[in-house]
Amino acid sequence: MTFAWFLVFLAIFLIGVTKSGFGSGMGLIVVPLTALGMSHIPSRGAEAALGLLLPLLVFGDLIAIYQYRRLFRPAPGNPHSALHHVRLLMPGTLIGVLLGGLLLWWFHRQQAIVSALMRIEIGLESILLVGLHWWRQFRGEQTRLIPEPFRSWGTGAFAGASSTLAHAAGPIIAMYLLPLHLPRQLFVGTCAMYFFILNTIKLPAYAASGQFARAELTFTLQFTPLVLAGALFGFWVNRRMSDVLFTRIIYFITFLLGWYMLSNGAMALVRR
């Protein structure tokens, strides 16, 4: 039980570290790590992970927006602000959140197998998104892009659904923004604002699909100091070391955790 809580505490601490701008790949490990820890806490269970994390992610997004508040102005030589790119992504994102919310609602109604379904879904998301990140690295930078608005709508829908199902849209948004060669300040500002809006609009979908049933707000708010501590640590370490090797390790661990969660959930489903 003590180790299970340690995994949960570590995952929540990593929310703050990621939102500070250090270790961009760490966002993917937060959900499987939390689900793994919560699955060994009888009063909660793996199905409590998503509902527990969402308000904490919103809190972390607010920290990121405050930290990078000066970066939302248009970059020199570029007439667009971070909000311009966010607006392009929003129509598809809303569709993705709606579809993801409906799927979570269906999961929640399967009371006998909800825990197994959540573990399978989180495992699949982890494997898929780490694989997507590795595929992007293997293929290199995109040179031919799908024309707008199809590219932004498609990316937004994929990111919205993936984020709703497993709080994991970082690699998807990176694949959209990196080929645009945005200045660093515009890239960081766009990500901070986009994920704040995305995570905020997920709140009604989570409430409707019962994701807060085992993660009530009074319980969740107790973990906000961990997010703040993680952000302060990330901001400090970001100025002192590169996150390249660290991020690679995190992706590899997340990939292994994804397979563990998938196999664990599948075995639980078979036993039913």
Side-chain angles (χ1 to χ4, degrees):
M1 181 71 74
T2 302
F3 184 68
W5 279 113
F6 169 77
L7 294 179
V8 175
F9 292 161
L10 176 61
I12 293 171
F13 179 80
L14 291 178
I15 291 175
V17 177
T18 300
K19 298 298 182 181
S20 73
F22 179 78
S24 57
M26 283 193 295
L28 286 181
I29 202 172
V30 168
V31 173
L33 208 59
T34 305
L36 181 60
M38 297 295 275
S39 66
H40 295 285
I41 301 173
S43 60
R44 301 295 172 178
E47 60 270 31
L50 296 181
L52 169 66
L53 291 173
L54 182 55
L56 298 174
L57 287 167
V58 173
F59 180 62
D61 292 327
L62 287 172
I63 294 174
I65 288 175
Y66 178 78
Q67 180 179 340
Y68 296 109
R69 62 193 180 280
R70 297 178 182 177
L71 306 181
F72 297 123
R73 292 172 293 184
N78 190 327
H80 299 310
S81 69
L83 289 177
H84 167 77
H85 299 286
V86 172
R87 282 195 294 267
L88 290 177
L89 289 163
M90 271 303 116
T93 298
L94 291 172
I95 295 171
V97 170
L98 177 61
L99 293 175
L102 289 172
L103 190 54
L104 285 181
W105 175 80
W106 181 81
F107 281 170
H108 191 69
R109 289 178 65 86
Q110 314 306 308
Q111 290 297 323
I113 56 172
V114 61
S115 180
L117 287 173
M118 292 303 295
R119 278 176 280 176
I120 291 172
E121 187 273 318
I122 291 169
L124 284 173
E125 282 278 343
S126 301
I127 295 166
L128 173 65
L129 291 173
V130 173
L132 184 65
H133 169 76
W134 287 340
W135 180 82
R136 179 174 62 83
Q137 288 190 320
F138 174 75
R139 288 290 301 271
E141 187 177 303
Q142 293 173 276
T143 55
R144 298 180 61 183
L145 303 181
I146 299 172
E148 295 289 358
F150 301 106
R151 183 169 180 263
S152 58
W153 279 47
T155 301
F158 188 17
S162 179
S163 182
T164 303
L165 291 170
H167 301 315
I172 302 167
I173 297 303
M175 287 187 69
Y176 175 82
L177 293 176
L178 288 174
L180 300 180
H181 300 289
L182 302 178
R184 176 172 171 77
Q185 64 174 9
L186 188 54
F187 181 91
V188 172
T190 300
C191 288
M193 183 58 70
Y194 175 77
F195 282 110
F196 169 70
I197 296 174
L198 171 57
N199 285 325
T200 301
I201 63 177
K202 281 156 51 179
L203 288 167
Y206 269 46
S209 61
Q211 297 306 307
F212 301 123
R214 295 199 179 190
E216 61 277 7
L217 188 59
T218 52
F219 171 70
T220 300
L221 290 177
Q222 299 177 63
F223 299 99
T224 52
L226 274 174
V227 180
L228 182 58
L232 293 173
F233 175 78
F235 184 72
W236 176 82
V237 77
N238 197 28
R239 298 185 172 192
R240 289 164 175 79
M241 65 179 291
S242 169
D243 67 351
V244 175
L245 177 61
F246 190 70
T247 298
R248 288 176 181 171
I249 295 171
I250 290 294
Y251 272 115
F252 181 70
I253 294 173
T254 303
F255 189 71
L256 294 181
L257 273 177
W259 280 108
Y260 172 79
M261 295 296 293
L262 175 60
S263 60
N264 185 269
M267 289 176 63
L269 196 60
V270 169
R271 287 195 296 266
R272 291 285 179 179

